[in-house]
Amino acid sequence: MICGPCGYFHESRDELERVCPMCDTSFQTREREYVVPEFGFLAGRTIRDPGMQPPERSWNGATYVLDLAAEQNEDLTFELANGGAVVARAGARGKLIAVSEGPGGAGYFICAACGWGTSITSSRGRPPKSHEHPLRSRECRGTLQQRSLAHPYETDILELSFDGLALPHQDDTTLNSLVSALLEGAAERLEISRDDIDGTLYPRPGGRRALVVFDTVPGGAGNAARIARALDEVLAGALDRAERCDCGEETSCYGCLRNFRNQWIHDQLIRGRAADALRPIVPAIHPGG
């Protein structure tokens, strides 16, 4: 289950508790189960004319933090222009899980017998009475179960904890816009491929949330630590990214904050919110630098 107020991802092989362990709020959403396609996928046997239009790509899910870095390599504090501070902690072996909920967040029908699957929306919400076994080319009448798809992995993680003076607003729009601006600023200023880094939010006790930046490569590539050491430059790059775009400040576009990976929250990405959060805190000064 995912906590609505704080976004905490809660999982267990046993029965789940009904109260969020991070914010003490009762879970209002229903439980879901996921499967891990560790052996990959088989494509359908039917061959069709590809036509003139490129295939549509979509991402209907999110990445959640299961555990922060087990091996901490960087622990730096940056003093910000408005008198606040941000603590940057980077390390290895952080645990993440990428969850795909299918088109519209409806999930998938997965056969418990043969592994055949289809999105629930493509079958109009009703499980088909039968399907073809993906390996034996014969009819299968196995039970179809509603499931999500998930991929847990370990990688390098950077946790950014802003104090209340540095970042007073903790609403989803401000935080998600700020994460996207930081990722774009890091990619531009440190010459990191944008596909090699991503970010999310992580709930902390007391109702606040940390910003998390992570390497998308399983095992990590050292980008999280690089961003931690150069956070002052990354924050400046994030502000520049949020301010210089030609789209309206009340929205965002692929020239500033949007990309394929964050399309599930495009409606929450507002470059004006990111700029408003960054202007009071840039420049950032490392006390030891």
Side-chain angles (χ1 to χ4, degrees), residues 1-2 9-16 18 27-35 60-62 64 97 99-109 120-121 145-150:
M1 286 190 294
I2 300 165
F9 183 89
H10 188 38
E11 68 170 15
S12 174
R13 291 184 177 274
D14 303 316
E15 184 177 353
L16 289 172
R18 301 305 305 178
F27 284 114
Q28 300 299 319
T29 56
R30 64 180 178 84
E31 296 179 353
R32 289 195 175 192
E33 295 185 26
Y34 67 77
V35 295
N60 299 282
Y64 302 93
I97 184 167
V99 181
S100 175
E101 304 286 8
Y108 301 89
F109 285 131
I120 291 178
T121 53
Q145 302 171 329
Q146 184 175 350
R147 296 288 185 267
S148 301
L149 300 178

Side-chain angles (χ1 to χ4, degrees), residues 68 74 76-78 80 85-90 157-163 166-167 170 175 178-183 186 198-204 208-214 224-232 234-235 238 278 281:
L68 295 171
E74 301 287 347
L76 306 171
T77 300
F78 289 80
L80 304 175
V86 55
V87 178
R89 299 185 180 94
I157 280 184
L158 165 63
E159 177 195 8
L160 298 174
S161 298
F162 292 81
D163 63 21
L167 194 61
Q170 287 275 310
L175 295 180
L178 182 54
V179 168
S180 296
L182 285 171
L183 292 169
D198 205 356
T200 188
L201 306 178
Y202 184 68
R204 305 296 289 169
R208 297 193 64 81
R209 285 177 287 180
L211 279 57
V212 170
V213 175
F214 56 88
R226 286 185 60 199
I227 296 171
R229 292 191 292 266
L231 186 60
D232 51 348
V234 170
L235 288 171
L278 287 163
I281 65 177

Side-chain angles (χ1 to χ4, degrees), residues 161-247:
S161 298
F162 292 81
D163 63 21
L165 182 59
L167 194 61
H169 301 294
Q170 287 275 310
D171 59 280
D172 288 345
T173 298
T174 297
L175 295 180
N176 284 317
S177 300
L178 182 54
V179 168
S180 296
L182 285 171
L183 292 169
E184 298 295 342
E188 189 172 288
R189 293 297 178 96
L190 303 184
E191 298 183 352
I192 299 172
S193 171
R194 180 62 181 83
D195 290 337
D196 290 344
I197 53 175
D198 205 356
T200 188
L201 306 178
Y202 184 68
R204 305 296 289 169
R208 297 193 64 81
R209 285 177 287 180
L211 279 57
V212 170
V213 175
F214 56 88
D215 289 15
T216 58
V217 180
N223 292 318
R226 286 185 60 199
I227 296 171
R229 292 191 292 266
L231 186 60
D232 51 348
E233 187 174 355
V234 170
L235 288 171
L239 177 58
D240 182 57
R241 182 82 175 192
E243 287 186 325
R244 73 168 185 244
C245 192
D246 293 329
C247 69

Side-chain angles (χ1 to χ4, degrees), residues 22 40 51 67 74 80 92 118 127 131 147 151 164 182 186 194 230-231 238 240 242 251 253-254 256 260 274 283:
M22 193 62 68
D67 288 303
E74 301 287 347
L80 304 175
T118 185
H131 52 271
R147 296 288 185 267
H151 170 56
L182 285 171
R194 180 62 181 83
L231 186 60
D240 182 57
T251 185
C253 67
Y254 281 86
C256 53
F260 170 74

